[in-house]
Amino acid sequence: MMAPARVLVVDDSPTMRGMITAVLNADPDVNVVGQAGDAMEARNAIKQLNPDVVTLDIEMPNMNGLEFLDKIMKLRPMPVIMVSTLTHRGAEASLMALEIGAFDCVGKPQPGDARPFGDLAEKVKAAARSQRRFHADPPPLAPTAANVNPVASYRPGRRVVAIGSSTGGVEALIAVLQKFPVNCPPTVITQHMPPTFTKSFAERLNRLCAPVVQEATDGARLEIGKIYLAPGGERHLQIANVHAPCCRLVERDPVNGHRPSVDVLFDSVAELAGRNAVGVILTGMGRDGASGLLKMRHAGARTIGQNEKTCVVYGMPRVAFELGAVEHQFPLSSIGEEILKITAARREGSE
């Protein structure tokens, strides 16, 4: 039996520190070992307490959370979960934190929240269990002529690509999508993310990648050279209309605790596209997407899973692999190229 995850809570607000501590200490497998009100206190507490995980406020006096996170990742890499306001500004800062190397982000509670901080305790436990080498992987490359279009002769076939991801997915998706050329296959993505984050993330991906990346809208036609990210919030992303495939945003209860759910997306792709699809499951907690990927494989789709060594959390890909849903596992650095190999027109026989 593993010892409880030891956590340091860093926030300039005593009230917020108390709320986070109460939520975490309510879980018997989590133990808050200390609190800090700014970066200086946090630095000393990390040295003295040697926590397994740090929760870190983004907006703090003297040195903000992003600056402190950058120092942690350079000098003492460890799992850090950012705590952010659910605003556009907070979303931009959170995405930057995830690219710097934060394990995950949670939103600060809003009035009427039934579960303040959501699944923070589960994320803390996953972070403490993570075998991730925080200093091992370089950050994603900025787009250049050398890495935006690695397959100069690529011609898309008729396949659609569906990708699911969760914890660690921001970095993973950037790494995969930066390999896509401007004429990439139509690609639909469900990434577990708070509602206010997905628009900012789609905009950031659009700046970093050669294809057009946009938040999915109901009825948007699936087109070559476009990538559609499921919006967070109240609806799931599906694809529909066999004659003119498009995005559908559907109101349904959460599936596997998530809305949007990867399983809902993969189920629709299996039904509509069958063998003319590629399913990809990337790093993430839990099992969302595993059964949907299995349906895709049974329908004749090609399926790919991220391997354990390169996952921030080998949860969703592990369950999918154990179910037999994953045809091949690859390291993150190879997945973009593998998708292009499968979807290229010369590989499909019909073109």
Side-chain angles (χ1 to χ4, degrees):
M1 184 175 179
M2 290 184 63
R6 304 174 71 255
V7 187
L8 173 67
V9 174
V10 183
D11 196 294
D12 65 321
S13 164
T15 300
M16 194 62 62
R17 292 198 301 270
M19 292 174 65
I20 295 171
T21 298
V23 166
L24 292 178
N25 280 340
D27 190 309
D29 294 320
V30 179
N31 178 24
V32 175
V33 296
Q35 300 182 9
D38 59 27
M40 184 65 71
E41 289 182 13
R43 185 183 67 176
N44 293 333
I46 289 172
K47 290 180 180 178
Q48 294 172 8
L49 301 172
N50 192 30
D52 300 315
V53 182
V54 171
T55 71
L56 179 60
D57 184 19
I58 286 183
E59 297 180 2
M60 295 191 302
N62 303 321
M63 180 185 296
N64 68 39
L66 289 178
E67 294 172 322
F68 187 50
L69 174 68
D70 187 56
K71 291 185 179 295
I72 290 175
M73 291 302 151
K74 289 177 179 175
L75 302 175
R76 196 183 188 283
M78 63 187 303
V80 177
I81 297 176
M82 307 303 293
V83 181
S84 167
T85 56
L86 293 176
T87 62
H88 180 76
R89 180 181 174 187
E92 291 283 351
S94 297
L95 293 171
M96 291 178 63
L98 292 168
E99 291 183 47
I100 291 170
F103 180 85
D104 210 336
C105 293
V106 298
K108 290 188 175 181
Q110 304 294 305
D113 277 356
R115 294 182 62 216
F117 303 103
D119 55 355
L120 176 58
E122 292 301 318
K123 291 183 177 181
V124 163
K125 290 185 286 187
R129 292 192 299 266
S130 173
Q131 298 301 308
R132 181 183 183 195
R133 301 187 189 97
F134 284 86
H135 58 284
D137 297 322
L141 295 171
T144 67
N147 64 41
V148 163
N149 191 354
V151 185
S153 61
Y154 177 80
R155 289 191 306 115
R158 298 177 179 177
R159 295 185 192 266
V160 61
V161 177
I163 303 175
S165 53
S166 186
T167 305
V170 167
E171 290 175 286
L173 286 168
I174 291 172
V176 170
L177 299 180
Q178 281 194 331
K179 301 291 181 70
F180 279 22
V182 67
N183 60 336
C184 73
T187 301
V188 284
I189 300 171
T190 289
Q191 156 73 33
H192 298 156
M193 188 172 276
T196 53
F197 284 28
T198 47
K199 186 175 188 295
S200 294
F201 186 37
E203 291 170 351
R204 181 147 184 80
L205 286 173
N206 192 51
R207 292 193 296 268
L208 290 173
C209 304
V212 173
V213 185
Q214 61 192 50
E215 200 174 36
T217 56
D218 191 56
R221 290 279 298 271
L222 298 190
E223 298 177 0
I224 289 171
K226 290 190 177 180
I227 298 169
Y228 308 84
L229 179 69
E234 301 303 315
R235 295 184 289 180
H236 297 280
L237 173 63
Q238 295 180 327
I239 66 168
N241 193 341
V242 69
H243 300 295
C246 64
C247 296
R248 282 284 177 243
L249 299 178
V250 296
E251 295 184 0
R252 281 178 52 188
D253 291 337
V255 175
N256 300 316
H258 298 285
R259 186 169 53 202
S261 161
V262 181
D263 267 333
V264 172
L265 175 62
F266 284 177
D267 286 353
S268 71
V269 175
E271 182 176 345
L272 188 78
R275 63 186 299 273
N276 291 320
V278 179
V280 183
I281 193 159
L282 302 176
T283 175
M285 290 169 51
R287 60 180 302 118
D288 190 31
S291 67
L293 194 68
L294 184 61
K295 289 180 182 178
M296 287 185 65
R297 189 171 186 190
H298 285 163
R302 302 291 300 278
T303 60
I304 292 172
Q306 186 176 348
N307 70 359
E308 181 174 7
K309 186 176 181 181
T310 62
C311 280
V312 172
V313 180
Y314 187 57
M316 290 159 48
R318 176 186 61 79
V319 177
F321 181 73
E322 291 175 351
L323 282 178
V326 174
E327 183 181 359
H328 295 291
Q329 290 192 113
F330 294 103
L332 179 61
S333 61
S334 300
I335 290 176
E337 287 97 334
E338 293 298 330
I339 293 171
L340 297 182
K341 289 177 186 177
I342 295 170
T343 58
R346 62 183 178 275
R347 290 290 301 270
E348 297 201 12
S350 59
E351 296 189 34

